[in-house]
Amino acid sequence: MPGSSIPIHKFTSSSEVVFFTGAGISSESGISTFRDPEGYWAKHDPMQLASRQGFKADPQLVLSWYGDRRESIRGSFPNAGHLAITNFQKLFPHSVVITQNVDGLHFEAGNERVIELHGNIHRHKCLECGTSIKLDEAQARTLNFCTCGGSVRPDVIWFGERLSMEILNQAHAAIESCDLFFSIGTSTQIYPAAQLPFDAQRHGAYVIEINPDLTPLSSQVDLSIRELAGTALPKLYEEFYAGLS
Ligand code: APR
């Protein structure tokens, strides 16, 4: 990662910065990604575990899988990548985190202004009326029903479902005003989230991708850093800190 290739002089503490993240930023915390060779979708059928049809066909299978994922998340901690974002946010007080992750690790790391595009695995809601429903872990592993009669499900976005317009509008507002956009640890394959880096670039942002692997975004970005997030982000932070002071 050659420091001189980042035009640090262009960015000041009033710059609007967006950190857009995917499963890759949590992989160094021990949480599985989805599309890597060892990822969830290499071992499981996403339509069985992460769709309304799959849930209706076998709710217990789906609830157990989400329970296992929560257990793995509860045993994990934010890593150097998440913590570097916390430090960056002190340099850039208007910065926003837009994440596709449902694990809540950005909050645990102390990140602020976090927009969760795909929901949060620790929350639940009614499949039919959408009412938010609080469950403890033991309850969450079994099938519960809302007062309307609908089944209770994890409050995450499944395949074939629309993102909340309100959340998407918040993300677009951040994209439209940002000068610097980081795309970190995402395969850039799932829309509409995958469109955000391209939109940021169209609005004039300098776009940096951090990912050890190539993605559909890699050839379009201003800078592609082919490293792990937990390595690249702390180094970049040091570089910015030195450049801004
Ligand atoms: N640092 C940076 N990038 C990493 C790291 C790491 N330590 N480890 C893995 N990666 C990269 C992989 O190379 C891959 O490109 O992270 C990316 C993870 O991609 P996916 O598994 O496809 O995850 P994501 O892009 O977040 O998926 C989007 O798909 O299944 C749905 O709803 C789910 O939110 C998810 C969405």
Side-chain angles (χ1 to χ4, degrees), residues 83-117:
L83 297 173
I85 293 179
T86 309
N87 287 331
F88 263 118
Q89 290 200 294
K90 291 180 187 141
L91 295 183
F92 298 106
H94 306 294
S95 58
V96 170
V97 177
I98 304 176
T99 189
Q100 298 163 88
N101 299 345
V102 296
D103 56 33
L105 286 186
H106 284 297
F107 291 109
E108 267 197 57
N111 296 170
E112 293 178 0
R113 295 172 296 284
V114 180
I115 300 171
E116 292 181 309
L117 291 177

Short mmCIF file of all heavy atoms in Angstrom, two decimals, residues 83-117:
data_model
loop_
_atom_site.label_atom_id
_atom_site.label_comp_id
_atom_site.label_asym_id
_atom_site.label_seq_id
_atom_site.Cartn_x
_atom_site.Cartn_y
_atom_site.Cartn_z
N LEU A 83 -11.87 -1.05 14.91
CA LEU A 83 -11.33 -0.05 15.84
C LEU A 83 -10.65 1.09 15.11
O LEU A 83 -10.68 2.24 15.56
CB LEU A 83 -10.37 -0.74 16.83
CG LEU A 83 -11.08 -1.80 17.71
CD1 LEU A 83 -10.07 -2.57 18.55
CD2 LEU A 83 -12.14 -1.16 18.62
N ALA A 84 -10.06 0.79 13.95
CA ALA A 84 -9.47 1.87 13.15
C ALA A 84 -10.57 2.83 12.68
O ALA A 84 -10.36 4.04 12.62
CB ALA A 84 -8.71 1.29 11.95
N ILE A 85 -11.76 2.29 12.37
CA ILE A 85 -12.87 3.16 11.97
C ILE A 85 -13.25 4.09 13.14
O ILE A 85 -13.53 5.27 12.95
CB ILE A 85 -14.08 2.34 11.47
CG1 ILE A 85 -13.71 1.63 10.16
CG2 ILE A 85 -15.31 3.22 11.28
CD1 ILE A 85 -14.81 0.75 9.58
N THR A 86 -13.25 3.54 14.36
CA THR A 86 -13.53 4.39 15.54
C THR A 86 -12.54 5.55 15.58
O THR A 86 -12.92 6.71 15.81
CB THR A 86 -13.38 3.56 16.84
OG1 THR A 86 -14.15 2.38 16.71
CG2 THR A 86 -13.86 4.35 18.05
N ASN A 87 -11.26 5.25 15.34
CA ASN A 87 -10.24 6.32 15.35
C ASN A 87 -10.45 7.30 14.20
O ASN A 87 -10.37 8.51 14.39
CB ASN A 87 -8.84 5.71 15.26
CG ASN A 87 -8.45 5.04 16.56
OD1 ASN A 87 -8.91 5.45 17.62
ND2 ASN A 87 -7.62 4.01 16.48
N PHE A 88 -10.73 6.77 13.03
CA PHE A 88 -11.00 7.64 11.86
C PHE A 88 -12.15 8.59 12.17
O PHE A 88 -12.13 9.75 11.78
CB PHE A 88 -11.40 6.80 10.65
CG PHE A 88 -10.29 6.50 9.69
CD1 PHE A 88 -9.89 5.20 9.43
CD2 PHE A 88 -9.65 7.53 8.99
CE1 PHE A 88 -8.87 4.92 8.52
CE2 PHE A 88 -8.65 7.26 8.08
CZ PHE A 88 -8.25 5.96 7.84
N GLN A 89 -13.18 8.08 12.86
CA GLN A 89 -14.35 8.93 13.10
C GLN A 89 -14.03 10.11 14.02
O GLN A 89 -14.75 11.11 14.01
CB GLN A 89 -15.52 8.09 13.64
CG GLN A 89 -16.07 7.16 12.55
CD GLN A 89 -17.47 6.68 12.82
OE1 GLN A 89 -17.71 5.94 13.77
NE2 GLN A 89 -18.42 7.08 11.98
N LYS A 90 -12.95 9.98 14.79
CA LYS A 90 -12.54 11.14 15.61
C LYS A 90 -11.89 12.19 14.72
O LYS A 90 -12.01 13.39 14.97
CB LYS A 90 -11.58 10.68 16.70
CG LYS A 90 -12.28 9.82 17.73
CD LYS A 90 -11.35 9.36 18.82
CE LYS A 90 -12.06 8.37 19.72
NZ LYS A 90 -11.19 7.27 20.15
N LEU A 91 -11.22 11.77 13.66
CA LEU A 91 -10.61 12.72 12.72
C LEU A 91 -11.66 13.35 11.81
O LEU A 91 -11.53 14.49 11.38
CB LEU A 91 -9.58 12.03 11.82
CG LEU A 91 -8.32 11.44 12.45
CD1 LEU A 91 -7.42 10.87 11.37
CD2 LEU A 91 -7.58 12.51 13.23
N PHE A 92 -12.67 12.53 11.47
CA PHE A 92 -13.71 12.97 10.54
C PHE A 92 -15.07 12.89 11.26
O PHE A 92 -15.79 11.89 11.16
CB PHE A 92 -13.72 12.08 9.29
CG PHE A 92 -12.45 12.11 8.50
CD1 PHE A 92 -11.58 11.05 8.52
CD2 PHE A 92 -12.12 13.23 7.74
CE1 PHE A 92 -10.39 11.07 7.79
CE2 PHE A 92 -10.93 13.27 7.01
CZ PHE A 92 -10.06 12.20 7.04
N PRO A 93 -15.42 13.95 12.00
CA PRO A 93 -16.62 13.87 12.86
C PRO A 93 -17.94 13.74 12.11
O PRO A 93 -18.96 13.42 12.72
CB PRO A 93 -16.57 15.17 13.67
CG PRO A 93 -15.45 15.98 13.15
CD PRO A 93 -14.67 15.19 12.16
N HIS A 94 -17.95 13.98 10.80
CA HIS A 94 -19.21 13.82 10.04
C HIS A 94 -19.30 12.44 9.38
O HIS A 94 -20.24 12.18 8.66
CB HIS A 94 -19.31 14.88 8.93
CG HIS A 94 -19.14 16.27 9.43
ND1 HIS A 94 -20.04 16.85 10.28
CD2 HIS A 94 -18.16 17.18 9.24
CE1 HIS A 94 -19.63 18.07 10.58
NE2 HIS A 94 -18.49 18.29 9.97
N SER A 95 -18.29 11.61 9.60
CA SER A 95 -18.24 10.35 8.84
C SER A 95 -19.36 9.40 9.25
O SER A 95 -19.85 9.42 10.38
CB SER A 95 -16.88 9.69 9.05
OG SER A 95 -16.68 9.45 10.41
N VAL A 96 -19.71 8.56 8.29
CA VAL A 96 -20.85 7.65 8.46
C VAL A 96 -20.38 6.23 8.11
O VAL A 96 -19.56 6.05 7.21
CB VAL A 96 -21.98 8.08 7.48
CG1 VAL A 96 -23.08 7.04 7.41
CG2 VAL A 96 -22.55 9.43 7.89
N VAL A 97 -20.90 5.25 8.83
CA VAL A 97 -20.65 3.84 8.49
C VAL A 97 -21.93 3.28 7.88
O VAL A 97 -23.00 3.40 8.47
CB VAL A 97 -20.28 3.02 9.75
CG1 VAL A 97 -20.08 1.55 9.39
CG2 VAL A 97 -19.03 3.58 10.43
N ILE A 98 -21.81 2.72 6.69
CA ILE A 98 -22.96 2.03 6.07
C ILE A 98 -22.56 0.57 5.98
O ILE A 98 -21.57 0.24 5.32
CB ILE A 98 -23.26 2.57 4.65
CG1 ILE A 98 -23.50 4.08 4.68
CG2 ILE A 98 -24.45 1.85 4.05
CD1 ILE A 98 -23.70 4.71 3.29
N THR A 99 -23.29 -0.29 6.68
CA THR A 99 -22.87 -1.69 6.69
C THR A 99 -23.95 -2.62 6.17
O THR A 99 -25.15 -2.37 6.35
CB THR A 99 -22.43 -2.13 8.11
OG1 THR A 99 -21.84 -3.43 8.02
CG2 THR A 99 -23.59 -2.15 9.11
N GLN A 100 -23.48 -3.70 5.53
CA GLN A 100 -24.38 -4.79 5.14
C GLN A 100 -24.41 -5.84 6.24
O GLN A 100 -25.17 -6.80 6.16
CB GLN A 100 -23.88 -5.44 3.84
CG GLN A 100 -23.86 -4.48 2.67
CD GLN A 100 -23.00 -5.03 1.54
OE1 GLN A 100 -23.49 -5.77 0.69
NE2 GLN A 100 -21.73 -4.69 1.52
N ASN A 101 -23.55 -5.69 7.24
CA ASN A 101 -23.45 -6.70 8.28
C ASN A 101 -24.58 -6.56 9.30
O ASN A 101 -25.04 -5.46 9.59
CB ASN A 101 -22.10 -6.60 8.99
CG ASN A 101 -20.95 -6.84 8.03
OD1 ASN A 101 -21.18 -7.34 6.93
ND2 ASN A 101 -19.75 -6.49 8.43
N VAL A 102 -24.96 -7.71 9.86
CA VAL A 102 -26.06 -7.74 10.83
C VAL A 102 -25.53 -8.09 12.22
O VAL A 102 -26.30 -8.30 13.14
CB VAL A 102 -27.14 -8.77 10.38
CG1 VAL A 102 -27.77 -8.35 9.07
CG2 VAL A 102 -26.58 -10.19 10.27
N ASP A 103 -24.19 -8.15 12.36
CA ASP A 103 -23.61 -8.65 13.61
C ASP A 103 -23.50 -7.63 14.73
O ASP A 103 -23.20 -7.97 15.88
CB ASP A 103 -22.23 -9.28 13.33
CG ASP A 103 -21.24 -8.33 12.64
OD1 ASP A 103 -21.29 -7.12 12.90
OD2 ASP A 103 -20.40 -8.82 11.86
N GLY A 104 -23.67 -6.35 14.43
CA GLY A 104 -23.62 -5.31 15.47
C GLY A 104 -22.21 -4.96 15.93
O GLY A 104 -22.04 -4.17 16.87
N LEU A 105 -21.16 -5.51 15.29
CA LEU A 105 -19.79 -5.25 15.78
C LEU A 105 -19.34 -3.80 15.60
O LEU A 105 -18.49 -3.33 16.35
CB LEU A 105 -18.79 -6.20 15.11
CG LEU A 105 -18.81 -7.65 15.60
CD1 LEU A 105 -17.68 -8.47 14.97
CD2 LEU A 105 -18.70 -7.73 17.11
N HIS A 106 -19.92 -3.09 14.63
CA HIS A 106 -19.56 -1.66 14.49
C HIS A 106 -19.97 -0.90 15.77
O HIS A 106 -19.22 -0.04 16.24
CB HIS A 106 -20.24 -1.05 13.27
CG HIS A 106 -19.60 -1.44 11.97
ND1 HIS A 106 -18.30 -1.10 11.65
CD2 HIS A 106 -20.07 -2.14 10.92
CE1 HIS A 106 -18.00 -1.56 10.45
NE2 HIS A 106 -19.06 -2.20 9.99
N PHE A 107 -21.14 -1.21 16.30
CA PHE A 107 -21.59 -0.53 17.54
C PHE A 107 -20.67 -0.91 18.70
O PHE A 107 -20.27 -0.08 19.49
CB PHE A 107 -23.04 -0.91 17.87
CG PHE A 107 -24.03 -0.35 16.90
CD1 PHE A 107 -24.70 -1.17 16.01
CD2 PHE A 107 -24.29 1.02 16.86
CE1 PHE A 107 -25.62 -0.66 15.11
CE2 PHE A 107 -25.21 1.54 15.97
CZ PHE A 107 -25.87 0.70 15.08
N GLU A 108 -20.35 -2.21 18.76
CA GLU A 108 -19.49 -2.67 19.87
C GLU A 108 -18.13 -2.00 19.82
O GLU A 108 -17.49 -1.79 20.86
CB GLU A 108 -19.30 -4.18 19.80
CG GLU A 108 -20.31 -4.92 20.61
CD GLU A 108 -19.89 -6.34 20.87
OE1 GLU A 108 -18.80 -6.57 21.42
OE2 GLU A 108 -20.67 -7.21 20.46
N ALA A 109 -17.67 -1.67 18.62
CA ALA A 109 -16.36 -1.02 18.47
C ALA A 109 -16.44 0.47 18.81
O ALA A 109 -15.42 1.14 18.83
CB ALA A 109 -15.85 -1.21 17.04
N GLY A 110 -17.65 0.97 19.02
CA GLY A 110 -17.79 2.41 19.31
C GLY A 110 -17.95 3.25 18.05
O GLY A 110 -17.86 4.47 18.11
N ASN A 111 -18.20 2.60 16.91
CA ASN A 111 -18.45 3.37 15.68
C ASN A 111 -19.76 4.14 15.85
O ASN A 111 -20.69 3.65 16.51
CB ASN A 111 -18.56 2.45 14.45
CG ASN A 111 -17.29 1.69 14.11
OD1 ASN A 111 -17.31 0.81 13.29
ND2 ASN A 111 -16.18 2.02 14.75
N GLU A 112 -19.83 5.32 15.24
CA GLU A 112 -21.03 6.16 15.37
C GLU A 112 -21.67 6.38 14.00
O GLU A 112 -21.03 6.17 12.98
CB GLU A 112 -20.66 7.50 16.00
CG GLU A 112 -20.22 7.31 17.45
CD GLU A 112 -19.79 8.59 18.11
OE1 GLU A 112 -19.84 9.65 17.46
OE2 GLU A 112 -19.42 8.52 19.28
N ARG A 113 -22.92 6.83 14.02
CA ARG A 113 -23.67 7.08 12.79
C ARG A 113 -23.60 5.85 11.88
O ARG A 113 -23.16 5.92 10.74
CB ARG A 113 -23.16 8.35 12.08
CG ARG A 113 -23.40 9.62 12.91
CD ARG A 113 -22.74 10.83 12.31
NE ARG A 113 -21.30 10.70 12.30
CZ ARG A 113 -20.50 10.85 13.36
NH1 ARG A 113 -21.01 11.15 14.53
NH2 ARG A 113 -19.20 10.67 13.27
N VAL A 114 -24.01 4.70 12.43
CA VAL A 114 -23.96 3.43 11.70
C VAL A 114 -25.33 3.17 11.06
O VAL A 114 -26.35 3.16 11.75
CB VAL A 114 -23.60 2.26 12.64
CG1 VAL A 114 -23.57 0.94 11.87
CG2 VAL A 114 -22.27 2.51 13.34
N ILE A 115 -25.33 2.97 9.76
CA ILE A 115 -26.56 2.65 9.03
C ILE A 115 -26.51 1.16 8.69
O ILE A 115 -25.64 0.72 7.94
CB ILE A 115 -26.67 3.50 7.74
CG1 ILE A 115 -26.70 5.00 8.09
CG2 ILE A 115 -27.90 3.09 6.93
CD1 ILE A 115 -26.59 5.91 6.87
N GLU A 116 -27.44 0.40 9.26
CA GLU A 116 -27.45 -1.05 9.02
C GLU A 116 -28.43 -1.36 7.88
O GLU A 116 -29.64 -1.41 8.08
CB GLU A 116 -27.87 -1.79 10.29
CG GLU A 116 -26.84 -1.71 11.40
CD GLU A 116 -27.24 -2.47 12.66
OE1 GLU A 116 -28.38 -2.24 13.14
OE2 GLU A 116 -26.45 -3.28 13.15
N LEU A 117 -27.90 -1.57 6.70
CA LEU A 117 -28.75 -1.78 5.52
C LEU A 117 -29.56 -3.06 5.61
O LEU A 117 -30.69 -3.13 5.12
CB LEU A 117 -27.89 -1.85 4.26
CG LEU A 117 -27.20 -0.59 3.77
CD1 LEU A 117 -26.34 -0.92 2.55
CD2 LEU A 117 -28.21 0.50 3.43
#
